[in-house]
Amino acid sequence: MRKFLPWIILGVVVLFGYFYFKGINNTAVTLDQDVKESWGNVQTAYQRRNDLIGNLVKTVQGAAEYEKGTLTAVIEARAKATSVTIDPTNITPEQLAQFNQAQSGLSSSLSRLLVTVEQYPSLKANENFLKLQDELASTENQILTARTRYNEAIKPYNNHVSVFPNSLFAGWFGFKAKPYFEAVTGADKAPDVEFNFDKKETK
C-alpha cells in the first residue's frame, strides 16, 4: 500500500488542480457572458436612439427648412456614432473611450437641434414630432440604465480575474480585466427634450 501512496497523492493533487482550474475558467466564462449580455443591452439602447434620431431628422426637415446646417451636423454625428463598433470579447479602454466620445458628439448635436426647432410653431402641433420627443427622452433614460448595468456586470468579472491567485491563471484561459464605461464630461445628462410651448411666440 505504501508504494502506491505517492501515486495516490499525485492523483489527488491532479484532481484538485483540475477542479480548481475548471472553477476559475467556468466562473470567468459565466461572468464574461453576463458582461456580453450587458454590453448588448447598451448597444440596443443606443441603436434605438439612433433610429429615433433618424425619424426625428426627417420630421424636422419638413418643417424647419432653415436649419440645414444643424441637421447636417446631427446626420454626420449619427453616422460617426454608428460606425464605431466594439467586440465585447476584447473591449479595450481606448475602444470604449472612442465609442463614448462618438456618442457624446451625437448627444451634443442633438441637443443643439432640439433647441433650434423650438422656433418652429408647426412642429409644436406635429403629433409625430411630439411622440418622437417623448420616446427620445425615454430612450436616454434606458441608455443611462444600460450603462450602469454594464458597469455592474464588469465589477464581479474584473474581481474574479484580477484577484490572486486567479490572476496568475486567468490569462492562460484568455481572460483579462475589462474597462468600465466612464461617461465623458456632461454625458451623464440626457439631452434636453423639453420645449416651452407656452411662451409667447415672437412674430
Side-chain angles (χ1 to χ4, degrees), residues 143-193:
I143 289 173
L144 291 175
T145 299
R147 291 190 304 206
T148 299
R149 290 179 177 172
Y150 168 77
N151 282 348
E152 290 174 349
I154 283 285
K155 184 177 180 179
Y157 170 84
N158 280 356
N159 286 343
H160 179 72
V161 301
S162 299
V163 298
F164 181 85
N166 292 10
S167 58
L168 297 177
F169 309 111
W172 294 0
F173 304 122
F175 297 105
K176 59 182 180 179
K178 301 179 186 292
Y180 286 95
F181 198 110
E182 297 182 359
V184 295
T185 303
D188 57 326
K189 298 180 181 179
D192 183 7
V193 294

Side-chain angles (χ1 to χ4, degrees), residues 1-14:
M1 182 66 182
R2 294 181 62 182
K3 67 178 180 180
F4 294 110
L5 187 58
W7 294 103
I8 294 174
I9 294 175
L10 179 61
V12 171
V13 170
V14 170

Side-chain angles (χ1 to χ4, degrees), residues 18-201:
Y18 168 77
F19 283 108
Y20 176 76
F21 291 125
K22 178 182 177 182
I24 293 177
N25 180 73
N26 289 355
T27 301
V29 168
T30 299
L31 295 174
D32 189 44
Q33 289 299 316
D34 291 341
V35 171
K36 291 177 182 177
E37 180 183 8
S38 297
W39 179 251
N41 292 336
V42 169
Q43 290 183 309
T44 297
Y46 275 118
Q47 183 59 53
R48 183 171 188 270
R49 183 177 74 161
N50 290 336
D51 294 341
L52 288 172
I53 289 174
N55 293 331
L56 185 71
V57 167
K58 292 178 181 178
T59 302
V60 173
Q61 280 177 327
E65 63 274 14
Y66 300 110
E67 301 299 336
K68 293 182 179 179
T70 306
L71 286 168
T72 299
V74 172
I75 294 171
E76 292 178 349
R78 178 173 177 262
K80 182 178 180 180
T82 55
S83 69
V84 180
T85 57
I86 293 180
D87 178 9
T89 305
N90 188 32
I91 299 177
T92 65
E94 293 76 18
Q95 289 176 330
L96 199 55
Q98 183 183 15
F99 177 88
N100 202 16
Q101 191 64 42
Q103 296 296 341
S104 177
L106 177 55
S107 294
S108 297
S109 297
L110 180 60
S111 294
R112 289 192 292 271
L113 174 63
L114 293 175
V115 169
T116 59
V117 297
E118 189 175 347
Q119 306 172 45
Y120 297 89
S122 60
L123 285 173
K124 300 178 183 181
N126 188 312
E127 292 184 4
N128 187 41
F129 177 79
L130 296 177
K131 180 180 178 181
L132 288 171
Q133 169 194 331
D134 290 339
E135 290 185 3
L136 189 59
S138 174
T139 300
E140 291 295 338
N141 290 329
Q142 291 179 23
I143 289 173
L144 291 175
T145 299
R147 291 190 304 206
T148 299
R149 290 179 177 172
Y150 168 77
N151 282 348
E152 290 174 349
I154 283 285
K155 184 177 180 179
Y157 170 84
N158 280 356
N159 286 343
H160 179 72
V161 301
S162 299
V163 298
F164 181 85
N166 292 10
S167 58
L168 297 177
F169 309 111
W172 294 0
F173 304 122
F175 297 105
K176 59 182 180 179
K178 301 179 186 292
Y180 286 95
F181 198 110
E182 297 182 359
V184 295
T185 303
D188 57 326
K189 298 180 181 179
D192 183 7
V193 294
E194 297 296 331
F195 298 90
N196 184 9
F197 288 167
D198 296 328
K199 73 178 183 178
K200 186 176 180 180
E201 297 176 18

